[in-house]
């Protein structure tokens, strides 16, 4: 009872006790940290421990999701840079091809001027013109397909962002709920302890 009166304090705080043990001619000194609290207090700690563990697990999961989100954002940025480089390369090739088409059109015009005297050249010029139009249509089809793929990719990325945001909001709401439950449990426990001390 004398020792207990000297280590009084609020529940949950720590006190360090020093002990001395004599074994033959030698004396050993050591310190032991102890938590203050009643048996009921320690029982309440055990009861709230699963909630604390769940909160900690959810926080770790939320941190993992945030890290994944940052990684996905970096990957998205890298992919956008890659797509931008491909688009610039495509534009460059398309302009070069457009110049080629213009030069071929000029060649066709020159051939048409010679068709009046050369019937065989006329057939060759008609075939070349058809080939050019088919090439132009193929390029336009490739461009449309590239735009469709880009739109699908952007739609997928936007859906992924919405899903990640919904998951983050759900996890935050769950954590807030658990924290409220812990606060409520502590408040009930504190009120019970207050009634016992009266």
């Amino acid at each position: 009872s004398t020792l207990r009166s000297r280590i009084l304090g609020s529940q949950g705080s720590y006190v360090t006790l020093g002990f001395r043990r004599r074994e033959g001619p030698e004396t050993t000194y050591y310190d032991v940290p102890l938590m203050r609290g009643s048996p009921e207090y320690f029982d309440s700690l055990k009861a709230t421990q699963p909630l604390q563990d769940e909160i900690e697990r959810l926080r770790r999961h939320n941190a993992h999701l945030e890290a994944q989100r940052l990684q996905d954002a970096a990957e998205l940025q890298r992919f956008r840079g890659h797509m931008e480089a491909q688009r610039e390369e495509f534009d460059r090739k398309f302009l070069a091809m457009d110049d080629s088409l213009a030069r071929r059109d000029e060649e066709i015009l020159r051939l048409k001027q010679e068709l009046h005297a050369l019937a065989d050249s006329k057939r060759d010029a008609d075939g070349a013109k058809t080939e050019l139009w088919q090439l132009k249509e193929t390029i336009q089809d490739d461009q449309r397909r590239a735009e469709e793929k880009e739109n699908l990719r952007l739609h997928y990325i936007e859906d992924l962002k919405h899903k990640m945001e919904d998951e983050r909001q759900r996890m935050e709401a769950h954590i807030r709920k658990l924290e409220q439950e812990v606060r409520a449990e502590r408040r009930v426990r504190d009120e019970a302890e207050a009634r016992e001390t009266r």
Side-chain angles (χ1 to χ4, degrees):
S1 62
T2 302
L3 177 60
R4 180 177 182 182
S5 63
R6 294 185 179 182
I7 61 174
L8 294 177
S10 60
Q11 294 191 106
S13 61
Y14 284 86
V15 60
T16 301
L17 300 181
F19 293 91
R20 180 176 58 187
R21 175 183 293 176
R22 179 173 297 176
E23 297 178 353
E26 296 183 356
T27 301
T28 302
Y29 296 89
Y30 56 94
D31 295 333
V32 177
L34 299 175
M35 179 187 286
R36 298 182 177 95
S38 64
E40 292 79 7
Y41 175 75
F42 289 110
D43 291 340
S44 65
L45 287 180
K46 292 179 181 178
T48 59
Q49 188 61 39
L51 288 177
Q52 296 290 344
D53 294 341
E54 178 66 11
I55 290 174
E56 184 62 26
R57 186 189 67 80
L58 291 175
R59 285 176 176 169
R60 287 195 302 269
H61 183 62
N62 190 51
H64 173 72
L65 290 177
E66 181 64 17
Q68 186 65 39
R69 185 189 67 81
L70 294 177
Q71 181 180 356
D72 291 342
E75 180 65 19
L76 175 60
Q77 187 64 27
R78 187 193 66 78
F79 186 79
R80 284 178 176 172
H82 177 68
M83 291 300 297
E84 184 64 26
Q86 285 190 338
R87 187 181 295 110
E88 292 175 358
E89 180 67 14
F90 180 82
D91 291 342
R92 184 183 64 81
K93 290 181 179 180
F94 186 81
L95 290 176
M97 193 166 291
D98 192 48
D99 292 340
S100 177
L101 289 175
R103 289 191 297 269
R104 291 190 181 187
D105 287 337
E106 292 174 358
E107 181 67 13
I108 291 174
L109 180 60
R110 185 184 66 81
L111 292 174
K112 283 183 177 180
Q113 293 173 354
E114 297 176 358
L115 287 179
H116 297 287
L118 301 172
D120 294 338
S121 298
K122 182 179 184 301
R123 288 193 297 270
D124 294 338
D126 290 338
K129 183 177 180 181
T130 301
E131 180 182 353
L132 288 175
W133 279 110
Q134 290 176 349
L135 180 61
K136 190 172 183 179
E137 289 176 355
T138 300
I139 294 174
Q140 291 175 346
D141 291 339
D142 291 342
Q143 184 180 13
R144 283 194 296 270
R145 284 193 292 270
E147 291 175 353
E148 290 174 357
K149 289 181 179 179
E150 176 66 9
N151 291 334
L152 289 175
R153 184 188 65 82
L154 293 177
H155 182 69
Y156 170 77
I157 292 174
E158 191 65 24
D159 288 344
L160 182 62
K161 289 169 61 179
H162 286 311
K163 290 179 181 178
M164 292 180 63
E165 180 63 20
D166 293 340
E167 177 66 13
R168 184 185 66 80
Q169 292 179 0
R170 188 186 69 79
M171 295 299 297
E172 289 179 351
H174 189 46
I175 290 175
R176 287 194 299 269
K177 180 181 178 182
L178 290 175
E179 290 176 343
Q180 290 175 357
E181 292 176 356
V182 170
R183 286 195 297 269
E185 177 69 20
R186 287 178 177 171
R187 185 167 56 251
V188 172
R189 183 191 61 204
D190 292 339
E191 291 175 356
E193 290 176 355
R195 288 194 298 271
E196 290 178 1
T197 55
R198 292 177 181 174

